[in-house]
Amino acid sequence: MKEDIIDYITVPKDRIAVLLGKKGEVKRRIEKETGTKINVDSESGEVEILRKTDSKDPFINLKAMEIIRAIARGFNPQKAFKLLLPNIYTEIIDLPSYISGKNLNRIRSRIIGRSGKAREYISRLTGTDMVIYGKTVGIIG
């Protein structure tokens, strides 16, 4: 008998309620769709994902981590659940890795655009969902 695998991810405290959902519905859906068990520590923001090694589709277990990471980086659960579809992936870009500190706000503002128009335009042209959260840009598509 193989042992289960435990993964950990830290979710910002302001995103924990979104991850849990009303009466825990988002968390339960992630567990049901991915065959995992999720424990959330609301105080620290640490999330434990228990993956079964004897699953029929081991790759679906990994989707739980991607969905939680997407929600943690600012996506709403409805958009994050798109990651369950085939050929849909997420990319989180850490802006400070590419931009110096003094230019960060200017670049973030340009990505968002006036009233969010630039972000909407980029999303529409590329067929992706995009969110700017903190110092990161998240893309699902």
Side-chain angles (χ1 to χ4, degrees):
M1 184 171 133
K2 295 181 180 178
E3 291 192 27
D4 296 334
I5 298 169
I6 301 174
D7 294 314
Y8 295 94
I9 184 170
T10 303
V11 175
K13 290 182 183 179
D14 64 324
R15 300 297 298 168
I16 291 173
V18 179
L19 173 62
L20 296 174
K22 288 183 184 175
K23 299 182 182 179
E25 64 188 28
V26 173
K27 177 183 164 256
R28 276 194 305 277
R29 182 173 173 201
I30 296 170
E31 291 174 330
K32 181 182 173 198
E33 299 273 348
T34 62
T36 58
K37 177 72 176 126
I38 299 169
N39 296 309
V40 179
D41 183 343
S42 299
E43 294 295 316
S44 67
E46 187 170 289
V47 178
E48 177 184 86
I49 305 163
L50 181 71
R51 295 189 286 134
K52 303 283 185 192
T53 54
D54 59 354
S55 174
K56 294 176 192 172
D57 182 6
F59 293 109
I60 196 71
N61 293 156
L62 296 172
K63 291 289 185 171
M65 179 72 90
E66 285 188 61
I67 293 167
I68 293 169
R69 183 177 289 124
I71 292 171
R73 297 317 313 156
F75 284 100
N76 70 41
Q78 188 175 20
K79 290 181 180 178
F81 279 115
K82 288 181 181 180
L83 292 165
L84 292 169
L85 299 171
N87 299 322
I88 301 294
Y89 305 98
T90 185
E91 184 68 38
I92 306 296
I93 301 165
D94 184 42
L95 292 176
S97 297
Y98 302 96
I99 303 163
S100 67
K102 64 181 182 178
N103 293 320
L104 184 62
N105 285 338
R106 182 176 56 85
I107 298 300
R108 282 185 62 223
S109 297
R110 292 216 175 151
I111 293 169
I112 296 167
R114 181 171 285 147
S115 302
K117 287 183 182 180
R119 182 180 51 83
E120 282 179 36
Y121 189 67
I122 294 167
S123 291
R124 195 167 8 104
L125 281 178
T126 60
T128 61
D129 294 304
M130 191 166 101
V131 67
I132 291 85
Y133 180 82
K135 296 177 181 179
T136 62
V137 175
I139 302 168
I140 292 179

